[in-house]
Each structure stands twice: as C-alpha cells, then as structure tokens.
Amino acid sequence: MAVADLILPVFAVILTGWAAGYFGYVSRSLADALIHFAYNIAMPALLVVTIGQEPARSLLAWRFLMAFGGGSLLCFAAVFFMSGRWAGPTLQSRTMYGLCASMTNTGFVALPILQALYGPHAVLPAAIATVFVAVIMFPLAVLLLELRGPSGRVGGGMLARHILLNPMVLSTLLGVVWAIVGQPIPGPVAAYLKIFADALTPCALFAIGLGLSLEGVRANLGPSLALAAIKLIAMPVLVYALALLCGLDPLYTIAAVICAAVPTAKTVFILAGEHRCEEPLVASTISITTLFSIVSLIIWLYALSGLNIGAAVGH
C-alpha cells in the first residue's frame, strides 16, 4: 500500500493533464511552456540543492555506483545499439530509446519509497543514484542529442559550449563543486531553490499528460511496451546481479534494485520536448512504466524482503 500510495498520485497527475487537454480545459500548446520552465528553471534548481547538500565523500560509494550505474549504462547501450528496427538510423532517436529504458525516476519515486519503508539510512543510496543520473546520464544524453543538429554534425567547440551551458549539466557541475567545498547552502538560498525545485514534479507530470494523446500511445504501444519491460524487469535483474557481484550490503542492494525498478524519469520527456525528438514515444513509455510500476515495485519489494532483516541489522 505504501508503494501504491506513492505511485498512484504520480499517474493521477499525468491523467489529469491528459484530461485537461482532451476536454479543452487547458490548451495543449501550454505543454511546451511547462517543459521549458521545468528544463531551464525547476530541474537545475533541484540538481543544485540536492547535490550541493551532500557530503562529497558520500557521493563516491563505488560498489553501489558500479551496480546501479553499471546496470543503467549497460541497459542504455544495449537498447541504443539494438533500437534500429524502431528508431531508425538517427542518433537522437536511438538516444531517446536508450534513455526510456535506462533513465530512472530516482528522486521522486525511489527516494520517498525507500525512505518510507527503510528509514533515513536508505535515503543516501537513493541520493547517490540521483547524482549518478545527473552527473553521468544527463551529460551523456545531452552529448548524444547535440552531436548532430538539423544541418549535420556540429563542431567540437560548439558542441562543448552546448553541453557545458546546458542547464542540467551546468547545475550538476555547480552542485558537485559546492559539495566538494563542503559548506552548507545558506538557508535563504536553499529555500529559494527549493521553491523552484518543488515545481518540477507537477509541471513535468502535468506536461506529460497534456502532451499525451491516445493516438500517440496506440501508435507507439509496441515499442513502449518493449521499453517498459526492459525498464521494469530486465534492468532491475541486471542491477541485482551486479550488486551480488560487487558484494553490496543488503540495504544498498535493495536500494540499487528499487532505484532501477522505478518508472522512466519524466526528465526524459523534458529532453525529448527540448530537442523535438520522439515526444509521443517518450510520453507513452513514461505513462506505461508509471502505471505498471505499481505492480512491479510491489513484486520487487516482496522478492527482496528476505534481505530486510540483514539490512535492518546492518544499519
């Protein structure tokens, strides 16, 4: 029930956005404005305030990073290279397919689930997973999406500027630098950033629903279901195997698997909207993984329940 209580409201906000657009209560054209705000303001604020408040040493849990991060990258690479049948030859489309299958919604789904079920000790691995997504997955996505523009391959200097000045990459770097400095973010600044950060979830989820059409879901149902199966089943299995190989303790093993088993991150839709690439597919995949994760997360938590006693004793 705790999992359902956390997941159902997420899907309900997406459904509300779809209903508002479908019945004409809100213009579908507003989805672009919401995406632009989330991409340039809300997400950077969240990244700075989340990463900047973590001790730098806590961001270097290597075995956890090898399990969760290795599973994420392997899953992305596998889908990226095998998606030619659906995505076609374009680098951007292959990138979006890979992100749909590997980019996890750690900050807004995994973290509160782990906190609710296992207490504050489970927050740190979820935060590390969130930082990995921000520091590795986001820049990788931006790099691949910027490699080719409408007129062809961009120059090295222009590409570097596009990546370094990208709001997500820039805010991630700022957060990492602040964490290394080791000074707490001043209270008023943290509160200011948190106001914008708190706007990310409603804006992004509502925009996903607002831009979602039943026709788009039906048109992308096959690829979306395949990507959802990879995201909710194959990726957690892979991460669990890597966690066993790395010798992770029970709590971090549970955290790694749950972080891998949550729905596709809504920020993938923000990237798709910003780059005008595979938006219907991404919206459909996020909606399907959000809905199916209600069941899959309960199954994963039950399957890992044998580790609970060891996790509790270890922490």
Side-chain angles (χ1 to χ4, degrees):
M1 287 303 298
V3 175
D5 287 346
L6 289 165
I7 298 293
L8 285 174
V10 172
F11 188 75
V13 176
I14 295 176
L15 185 61
T16 301
W18 171 81
Y22 180 80
F23 292 107
Y25 186 71
V26 176
S27 172
R28 291 190 183 275
S29 63
L30 291 178
D32 289 340
L34 289 172
I35 291 169
H36 197 68
F37 170 78
Y39 187 86
N40 290 283
I41 304 296
M43 177 55 75
L46 174 70
L47 293 174
V48 171
V49 77
T50 299
I51 300 172
Q53 295 187 115
E54 286 294 328
R57 65 181 181 277
S58 70
L59 304 178
L60 299 176
W62 293 112
R63 288 186 298 172
F64 179 85
L65 287 171
M66 288 183 67
F68 172 76
S72 299
L73 291 175
L74 286 172
C75 194
F76 172 83
V79 175
F80 178 85
F81 287 112
M82 294 189 301
S83 60
R85 177 180 176 184
W86 288 319
T90 67
L91 190 62
Q92 286 86 354
S93 291
R94 287 173 178 263
T95 299
M96 297 315 302
Y97 271 73
L99 292 176
C100 282
S102 63
M103 186 84 87
T104 62
N105 198 342
T106 53
F108 294 103
V109 181
L111 195 152
I113 288 174
L114 290 168
Q115 183 180 32
L117 298 179
Y118 299 103
H121 292 296
V123 171
L124 181 57
I128 295 171
T130 302
V131 171
F132 174 84
V133 171
V135 175
I136 302 298
M137 298 296 288
F138 278 147
L140 173 64
V142 173
L143 172 65
L144 292 173
L145 289 169
E146 295 285 358
L147 273 176
R148 288 183 179 273
S151 58
R153 186 176 296 276
V154 300
M158 184 180 297
L159 174 62
R161 286 195 298 273
H162 272 291
I163 294 172
L164 292 175
L165 296 179
N166 179 277
M168 293 185 182
V169 177
L170 193 60
S171 57
T172 296
L173 293 175
L174 180 59
V176 170
V177 169
W178 197 278
I180 293 172
V181 170
Q183 294 296 317
I185 298 177
V189 176
Y192 165 76
L193 292 173
K194 192 172 184 301
I195 291 173
F196 287 116
D198 288 344
L200 175 65
T201 296
C203 282
L205 293 177
F206 192 84
I208 290 170
L210 194 60
L212 187 66
S213 68
L214 294 178
E215 293 77 12
V217 172
R218 282 195 291 265
N220 294 278
L221 186 59
S224 292
L225 286 173
L227 291 171
I230 295 170
K231 178 68 195 68
L232 301 179
I233 301 173
M235 183 173 167
V237 169
L238 177 59
V239 168
Y240 181 63
L242 290 173
L244 294 179
L245 288 174
C246 294
L248 277 183
D249 66 60
L251 180 64
Y252 273 54
T253 298
I254 293 171
V257 174
I258 296 306
C259 284
V262 295
T264 300
K266 55 191 167 293
T267 46
V268 179
F269 183 75
I270 296 173
L271 284 170
E274 191 72 13
H275 290 84
R276 304 291 182 184
C277 180
E278 301 288 354
E279 294 164 84
L281 168 79
V282 174
S284 175
T285 304
I286 291 174
S287 298
I288 289 173
T289 55
T290 300
L291 178 61
F292 286 173
S293 67
I294 298 171
V295 175
S296 65
L297 277 170
I298 293 173
I299 293 173
W300 279 114
L301 286 167
Y302 179 78
L304 296 168
S305 61
L307 299 175
N308 289 356
I309 296 176
V313 170
H315 292 77

